[in-house]
Amino acid sequence: MGDDAAMFAPVEPLKAGLSACCPRCGQGRLFDGVVKLKPACSNCGLDYSFADSGDGPAIFVILIADCVMLGLALWTEFNLHPPIWLHILLWGPLTIGLSIWLLRTIKATLIALQFRNNARQGTIDHG
């Protein structure tokens, strides 16, 4: 996974996460679509088969997006008193948009952290 990383300058995981770029070279795109990973980097050829972010990004998105949107919706209700239809039109699309952006960003950041720390699935040493 990180065998020839010396050819590339280190990429900060947060920078790679925010730009959704390759964790090794920082140039190639990480995603093919909204949240589907590409098979490999188009710039440096890094195979993304090591990347398994699991359910971590989804849990973080649920916790962060719900707290932010609930706080904003309550503040809006108590201070501006808009009708319910305005709440539906406003908070539905904003929640979906924030959730998709957060999912991409957090997933890319966790993959970059996996690459930087050479994280692998745990195994038992029987020897």
Side-chain angles (χ1 to χ4, degrees), residues 1 24 38-41 44-51:
M1 172 164 68
R24 180 166 66 183
K38 287 185 171 188
C41 177
C44 69
L46 175 66
D47 183 19
Y48 293 146
S49 63
F50 73 89

Side-chain angles (χ1 to χ4, degrees), residues 64-76:
I64 295 169
D66 285 351
C67 288
V68 169
M69 287 297 128
L70 180 64
L72 289 173
L74 288 174
W75 182 87
T76 303

Side-chain angles (χ1 to χ4, degrees), residues 6-20:
M7 294 172 31
F8 300 96
V11 178
E12 287 297 318
L14 189 57
K15 179 183 177 260
L18 288 172
S19 61

